């Protein structure tokens, strides 16, 4: 009696649970259609708008795919690394490459209703000394590509005068420092806290957006270049966990995801994966003046640290990685294989250099890293440096904003850097003038090498770029470890393979197209 | 009963106030200032001081606390110093994600735990031992590990439930249920085990009560005996444990939200703490305190309704 009754109750409940579970499991999920005209979801590895919706607040460009939806730039970088006009239609340089004259596109409207004209571009570039606009670092007074003046010659012509020859100016004005915000945002920058004010093909759906987690962009059919973008809405999902991003693309919640090399084969086996060369892993020197850790003011110490890294062993940890001591990647004009021999693993020599610099017993410092992605590299280097007496304390920061702040409080950072096809742009806009040089430090050898390249043919000047590469590595402003591919997971049945911009690890939004 | 309710509500308000005070003091004891965070290393001391003055950081602590509480009473949690967004509206967008997952996980573990506990106590023998052993195993499994396993089986191998993401119930109730199914199960497993053991002990004790034995001997129907008399007695400790489990599940959502990429309070808490966004940290603490205190209050009232001795103690 007791058993029969309980069996009936349990049986009824179990049947109900099974029916519910069956219904739950049999219904389709995700539901993101990928036919042209519908929506696409993209998983990114960090918050694309950690501060506000001002694209100029992020030195280094941030998540290019995200910003390209809402803003247009004076110039843009194609997947081959070529810089072409976007809001500009053409440009000319004077003979000394100090004056850049830009012709502007007409009929471009911003979210606030304002229109593109020379006065607006001037008003944008005149913000270049604002400390919160990190992207303008190179253009500010004393910057590596200091702008002396900006003039609106007529409504469609802007004249930019640089303090010194700047052959790479169009590259510097491609995305990053070239984004143009609308008039309202110039008058009152606080409007960019609530939403973007750009001329891009998409607006932010603030109702569906959850800051720092999900950003939903909705197409503006009135945009001048809306035809270049097939999706009626684009959703960016911030998924910081590398396995969670891989899971999301495999199980179909997103159609495209930036992958960690560790999860690339997992995704490749189940859906599709594509990879791009040109990502350099290494230590960027923040504290050139030794304000937070005195030993880092010494070039000899920096060289010792470089020589104490077993790059071959480090590269072996990662599938497809190649050991390199060259900042500019193989295949670019400034690549210098000789640096590999010069900075070959030699802990004994490194220890001697430390002693020469006055640190025979080594020293201690803290490095802040975002997430766990670089954990194995850092632990390996930690052990290598420990053998020469240098104690690197690794501190983990879970957010982009914290990692960003660490650039102004710690001596070194370890990250992948996309040099791509634009090494000079990386050095001028990022290493010298961007967040990697918040101290506005100077180095005669590097600056002289930059000046030679800028006065010549920019990224085409192989000899000048090799010298620039050597100067940066020899001065220890950057300690490269290995070159790696950038991996993306996507479903080839739904999407065509995305294309990276030549200067970013993120694909261009216009390259994300439906399959077939 | 009314005086009991008033006492509990006042106690709840005092608890929230203490949480607010503790978070306020801890945030102000932490190194750094909003000015330093907003302006970065390139800023001068004067610029930092000016920025701090703008947000009132330069005023005496008590004055800041008074102003903060004044805003709080009006429902204003302040502005994020990292992105300038109103914290209250940002957190309110996230609260349903975490709240609904915690509530559902509590309900699922409550129902499943009660059924398993009753089955173990009533059936005895092999079912009792099996439930006892399996709940022991479930208790030793971290929810994160269970989540990884669930994702691998249901999302990667069989592709029948989503691995990540959240769909609002207003967009599609069915997809919402699918999007939270795995997080809820992952959170529920250990809680079910705790509740099953609690329920087993309570039901076994209730079954042994003299009045239950008397009712059984009088021929009271089985269902009535179990679901009216035994369950009522056994439910008091179960509901108390359920309250504790809700708090654990609510805080455990931080890890689960990371695994399933859910835009909940856990993500906001993690981002606020790591980016030193002081007002956002306070906001998360306050919202979480209100939810936890509110749910605990409801469960306390339920226990009081079930057991009159609680009201008079």
């Amino acid at each position: 009696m007791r058993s029969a009754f309980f069996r009936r109750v349990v049986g009824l409940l179990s049947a109900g649970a099974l029916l519910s579970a069956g219904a739950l499991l049999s219904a389709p999920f995700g539901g993101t259609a990928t036919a042209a005209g519908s929506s696409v979801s993209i998983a990114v590895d960090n918050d694309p708008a950690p501060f506000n919706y001002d694209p100029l607040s992020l030195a280094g460009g941030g998540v290019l795919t995200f910003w390209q939806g809402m803003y247009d730039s004076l110039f843009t970088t194609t997947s081959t690394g070529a810089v072409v006009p976007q809001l500009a239609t053409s440009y000319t340089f004077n003979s000394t490459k100090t004056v850049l004259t830009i012709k502007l596109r007409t009929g471009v409207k911003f979210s606030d209703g304002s229109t593109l004209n020379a006065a607006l571009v001037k008003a944008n570039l005149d913000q270049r000394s604002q400390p919160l606009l990190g992207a303008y670092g190179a253009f500010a007074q004393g910057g590596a590509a200091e702008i002396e003046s900006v003039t609106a010659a007529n409504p469609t012509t802007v004249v930019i005068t640089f303090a010194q020859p700047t052959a790479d100016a169009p590259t510097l004005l491609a995305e990053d420092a070239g984004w143009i915000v609308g008039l309202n945002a110039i008058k009152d920058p606080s409007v960019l806290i609530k939403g973007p004010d750009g001329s891009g093909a998409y607006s932010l759906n603030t109702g569906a957006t959850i800051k720092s987690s999900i950003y939903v962009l909705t197409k503006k059919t009135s945009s001048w270049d809306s035809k270049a973008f097939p999706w009626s809405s684009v959703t960016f999902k911030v998924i910081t966990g590398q396995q969670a991003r891989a899971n999301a693309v495999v199980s179909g919640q997103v159609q495209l995801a930036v992958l960690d090399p560790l999860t690339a084969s997992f995704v490749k086996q189940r859906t599709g994966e594509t990879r791009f060369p040109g990502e350099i892993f290494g230590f960027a020197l923040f504290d050139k003046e030794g304000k937070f850790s005195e030993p880092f003011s010494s070039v000899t110490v920096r060289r010792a640290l470089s020589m104490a890294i077993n790059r071959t062993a480090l590269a072996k940890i990662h599938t497809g990685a190649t050991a390199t001591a060259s900042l500019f990647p193989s295949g670019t004009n400034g690549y210098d294989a000789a640096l590999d021999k010069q900075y070959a693993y030699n802990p004994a020599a490194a220890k001697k250099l430390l002693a020469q610099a006055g640190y025979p017993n080594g020293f201690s410092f803290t490095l802040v890293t975002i997430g766990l992605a670089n954990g194995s590299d850092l632990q390996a280097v930690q052990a290598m440096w420990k053998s020469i007496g240098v104690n690197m304390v690794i501190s983990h920061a879970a957010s982009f904003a914290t990692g960003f702040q660490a650039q102004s409080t710690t001596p070194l950072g370890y990250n992948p850097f996309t040099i791509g096809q634009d090494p000079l742009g990386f050095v001028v806009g990022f290493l010298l003038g961007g967040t990697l040089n918040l101290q506005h430090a100077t180095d005669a050898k590097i600056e002289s090498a930059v000046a030679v390249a800028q006065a010549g043919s920019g990224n085409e000047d192989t000899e000048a770029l090799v010298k620039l590469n050597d100067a940066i590595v020899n001065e220890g402003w950057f300690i490269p470890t290995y070159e790696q591919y950038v991996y993306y997971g996507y479903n080839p049945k739904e999407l065509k393979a995305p294309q990276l911009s030549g200067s970013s690890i993120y694909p261009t939004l216009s390259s994300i197209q439906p399959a077939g | 009963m009314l005086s009991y309710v008033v006492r509990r509500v006042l106690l709840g308000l005092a608890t929230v106030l203490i949480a607010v005070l503790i978070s306020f003091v801890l945030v102000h004891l932490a190194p750094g200032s909003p000015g330093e965070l907003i302006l970065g290393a390139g800023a001068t001391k004067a610029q930092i001081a000016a920025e701090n003055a703008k947000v009132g950081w330069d005023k005496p602590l008590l004055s800041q606390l008074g102003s903060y509480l004044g805003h709080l009473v009006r429902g204003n949690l302040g502005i994020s110093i990292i992105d300038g967004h109103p914290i209250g509206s940002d957190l309110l967008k996230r609260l349903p994600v975490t709240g609904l997952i915690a509530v559902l996980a509590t309900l699922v573990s409550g129902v499943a735990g009660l059924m398993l506990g009753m089955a173990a106590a009533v059936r005895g023998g092999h079912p009792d031992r099996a439930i006892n052993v399996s709940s022991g195993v479930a208790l030793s499994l971290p929810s994160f590990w269970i989540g990884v396993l669930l994702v691998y089986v249901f999302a990667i191998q069989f592709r029948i439930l989503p691995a990540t993401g959240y769909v609002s119930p207003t967009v599609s109730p069915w997809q919402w249920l699918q999007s939270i199914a795995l997080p809820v199960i992952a959170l529920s497993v250990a809680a079910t085990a705790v509740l099953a053991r609690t329920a087993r002990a309570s039901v076994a004790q209730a079954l042994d009560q003299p009045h239950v034995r008397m009712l059984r001997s009088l021929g009271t129907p089985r269902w009535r005996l179990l679901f009216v008399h035994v369950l009522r007695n056994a439910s008091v400790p179960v509901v108390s444990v359920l309250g504790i489990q809700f708090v654990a599940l609510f805080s455990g959502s931080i890890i689960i939200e990371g695994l399933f990429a859910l835009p909940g309070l856990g993500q906001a808490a993690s981002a606020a703490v790591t980016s030193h966004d002081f007002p956002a940290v306070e906001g998360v603490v306050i919202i979480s305190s209100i939810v936890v205190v509110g749910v605990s209050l409801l469960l306390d009232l339920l226990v009081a309704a079930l057991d009159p001795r609680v009201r008079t103690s």
Side-chain angles (χ1 to χ4, degrees):
Chain A
M1 163 84 182
R2 188 174 88 167
S3 303
F5 168 76
F6 211 81
R7 268 201 297 274
R8 277 201 298 276
V9 172
V10 171
L12 276 171
L13 285 170
S14 304
L18 279 173
L19 277 172
S20 308
L24 192 69
L25 299 179
S26 61
F29 62 86
T32 310
T34 55
S38 58
S39 56
V40 67
S41 291
I42 301 166
V44 291
D45 53 354
N46 65 71
D47 185 356
F51 305 116
N52 55 37
Y53 294 103
D54 190 340
L56 294 150
S57 65
L58 293 172
V63 182
L64 178 78
T65 326
F66 174 74
W67 295 110
Q68 275 187 332
M70 301 177 292
Y71 287 91
D72 293 315
S73 176
L74 288 172
F75 295 86
T76 189
T77 312
T78 67
S79 54
T80 61
V83 173
V84 295
Q86 190 178 39
L87 288 177
T89 53
S90 63
Y91 69 97
T92 53
F93 259 124
N94 68 345
S95 59
T96 57
K97 292 181 177 164
T98 53
V99 179
L100 176 70
T101 303
I102 299 173
K103 282 274 178 195
L104 297 172
R105 192 175 290 281
T106 55
V108 176
K109 278 206 175 278
F110 288 79
S111 304
D112 62 12
S114 60
T115 52
L116 178 73
N117 56 38
L120 181 65
V121 173
K122 175 180 162 48
N124 268 266
L125 290 172
D126 281 350
Q127 307 284 313
R128 60 188 177 275
S129 293
Q130 289 286 334
L132 293 178
L133 301 181
Y136 279 147
F139 290 158
Q141 193 175 17
E146 180 184 341
I147 291 177
E148 273 188 355
S149 67
V150 182
T151 314
N154 62 50
T156 57
T157 309
V158 181
V159 180
I160 303 171
T161 304
F162 291 91
Q164 59 269 324
T166 310
D168 213 30
T171 303
L172 297 174
L173 289 165
E175 285 91 25
D176 214 4
W179 300 115
I180 299 296
V181 303
L183 196 58
N184 272 4
I186 294 292
K187 287 179 182 166
D188 177 13
S190 70
V191 301
L192 296 175
I193 290 171
K194 289 180 183 163
D197 184 7
S199 58
Y202 293 88
S203 58
L204 185 77
N205 180 343
T206 49
T209 292
I210 299 178
K211 187 84 178 63
S212 305
S213 292
I214 296 171
Y215 296 89
V216 181
L217 308 187
T218 309
K219 195 163 182 182
K220 294 188 284 188
T221 47
S222 59
S223 167
W224 67 276
D225 60 346
S226 66
K227 284 181 184 166
F229 304 93
W231 312 103
S232 61
S233 85
V234 183
T235 301
F236 289 88
K237 296 182 177 178
V238 183
I239 305 180
T240 51
Q242 59 194 39
Q243 188 61 51
R245 277 197 308 282
N247 292 342
V249 74
V250 166
S251 58
Q253 279 85 62
V254 299
Q255 283 68 56
L256 179 70
V258 58
L259 298 178
D260 184 89
L262 290 172
T263 56
S265 61
F266 166 80
V267 174
K268 191 176 183 178
Q269 284 166 13
R270 289 163 175 84
T271 50
E273 167 255 274
T274 187
R275 58 185 191 167
F276 305 91
E279 192 176 39
I280 299 289
F281 280 70
F283 292 89
L285 179 68
F286 303 144
D287 189 16
K288 286 124 186 139
E289 295 169 350
K291 280 183 182 170
F292 314 115
S293 182
E294 200 187 342
F296 284 92
S297 63
S298 162
V299 173
T300 312
V301 166
R302 301 176 208 158
R303 286 180 184 168
L305 293 177
S306 186
M307 290 177 79
I309 296 175
N310 186 345
R311 294 179 169 82
T312 310
L314 211 54
K316 275 185 184 166
I317 301 174
H318 305 285
T319 312
T322 314
T324 186
S326 170
L327 168 62
F328 297 166
S330 54
T332 61
N333 281 338
Y335 175 68
D336 187 4
L339 289 167
D340 292 343
K341 280 187 184 168
Q342 198 179 332
Y343 291 97
Y345 181 50
N346 190 342
K351 213 162 166 37
K352 274 185 190 171
L353 284 177
L354 275 185
Q356 274 175 31
Y359 300 97
N361 299 318
F363 57 91
S364 204
F365 72 99
T366 298
L367 180 141
V368 175
T369 180
I370 302 171
L372 302 172
N374 300 317
S376 55
D377 286 359
L378 288 172
Q379 281 172 13
V381 174
Q382 189 181 42
M384 292 167 195
W385 284 351
K386 188 85 182 168
S387 72
I388 61 163
V390 175
N391 178 33
M392 176 170 69
V393 178
I394 302 167
S395 170
H396 292 278
S399 77
F400 183 83
T402 316
F404 186 81
Q405 285 151 15
Q407 295 182 8
S408 51
T409 54
T410 54
L412 270 190
Y414 186 79
N415 268 308
F417 295 88
T418 304
I419 318 294
Q421 301 298 314
D422 181 23
L424 192 53
F426 174 80
V427 172
V428 174
F430 204 33
L431 200 64
L432 282 175
T435 53
L436 296 185
N437 191 16
L438 289 174
Q439 293 178 336
H440 302 294
T442 54
D443 184 289
K445 288 177 186 169
I446 296 173
E447 280 167 13
S448 152
V450 167
V452 172
Q454 290 278 32
S457 52
N459 279 325
E460 303 304 314
D461 194 336
T462 305
E463 195 184 332
L465 288 178
V466 168
K467 283 182 180 165
L468 176 59
N469 188 5
D470 291 355
I472 292 164
V473 173
N474 287 332
E475 292 300 287
W477 275 40
F478 196 95
I479 304 173
T481 51
Y482 60 90
E483 185 178 347
Q484 178 60 288
Y485 290 95
V486 177
Y487 292 89
Y488 275 88
Y490 71 105
N491 186 340
K493 288 178 187 164
E494 297 178 324
L495 289 188
K496 286 179 182 168
Q499 297 292 317
L500 293 198
S501 154
S503 58
S504 171
I505 60 164
Y506 296 99
T508 56
L509 185 55
S510 58
S511 78
I512 301 168
Q513 298 279 341
Chain B
M1 182 70 180
L2 185 64
S3 68
Y4 177 79
V5 172
V6 171
R7 274 206 315 272
R8 294 295 300 137
V9 169
L10 289 175
L11 196 63
L13 286 174
T15 309
V16 171
L17 185 64
I18 289 168
V20 170
L21 291 176
I22 290 173
S23 71
F24 185 85
V25 170
L26 285 178
V27 157
H28 280 73
L29 284 177
S33 71
E36 286 171 51
L37 272 176
I38 294 166
L39 299 174
T44 63
K45 281 185 178 172
Q47 286 172 320
I48 291 170
E51 194 65 37
N52 284 340
K54 215 191 285 181
V55 295
W57 193 263
D58 59 330
K59 291 178 183 161
L61 201 60
L62 276 178
S63 161
Q64 287 186 52
L65 178 62
S67 163
Y68 185 71
L69 289 175
H71 283 112
L72 202 59
V73 168
R74 292 193 293 273
N76 179 5
L77 289 176
I79 302 287
S80 160
I81 57 173
I82 296 294
D83 59 27
H85 270 237
I87 291 160
S89 61
D90 271 9
L91 293 182
L92 283 179
K93 271 188 176 180
R94 293 173 176 276
L95 180 60
V97 182
T98 310
L100 287 173
I101 287 172
V103 167
L104 270 183
T106 308
L107 286 176
V108 167
S109 55
V111 172
L114 200 59
M115 290 308 300
L116 288 170
M118 280 181 75
V122 173
R123 299 288 304 274
H126 289 304
D128 184 18
R129 280 192 289 279
I131 290 166
N132 193 31
V133 169
S134 55
S135 63
V137 171
L139 275 171
S140 65
L141 299 176
S143 58
F144 181 82
W145 187 86
I146 295 167
V148 170
L149 199 69
L150 290 172
V151 166
Y152 184 75
V153 174
F154 290 101
I156 306 298
Q157 288 301 320
F158 296 114
R159 300 193 186 196
I160 47 181
L161 282 171
T164 59
Y166 179 77
V167 178
S168 167
T170 55
V171 173
S172 163
W174 201 242
Q175 284 188 8
W176 166 72
L177 211 53
Q178 288 179 315
S179 72
I180 61 165
L182 294 183
V184 165
I185 296 169
L187 275 174
S188 302
V189 172
T192 301
V194 172
L195 283 156
R197 289 189 163 201
T198 308
R200 187 212 169 275
S202 306
V203 171
Q205 199 178 17
L207 281 170
D208 208 32
Q209 293 285 316
H211 74 279
V212 174
R213 287 206 301 270
M214 171 67 79
L215 286 166
R216 193 185 291 150
S217 64
L218 289 173
T220 307
R222 189 76 190 162
W223 67 267
R224 191 175 174 82
L225 192 70
L226 275 177
F227 289 99
V228 176
H229 300 284
V230 170
L231 199 56
R232 183 173 176 129
N233 278 304
S235 60
V236 174
V238 171
V239 172
S240 300
V241 172
L242 212 56
I244 297 165
Q245 285 304 311
F246 175 80
V247 176
L249 294 172
F250 194 78
S251 53
S253 68
I254 291 180
I255 295 168
I256 287 298
E257 281 174 20
L259 177 65
F260 291 98
L262 300 169
L265 281 180
Q267 274 193 4
S270 172
V273 169
T274 51
S275 62
H276 294 204
D277 191 348
F278 307 130
V281 172
E282 288 169 344
V284 171
V285 170
I286 291 162
I287 295 272
S288 304
S289 308
I290 291 170
V291 170
V292 167
V293 168
V295 172
S296 300
L297 180 65
L298 281 177
L299 290 173
D300 279 354
L301 296 179
L302 185 61
V303 169
L306 288 168
D307 187 352
R309 289 170 299 178
V310 174
R311 298 197 289 270
T312 52
S313 65

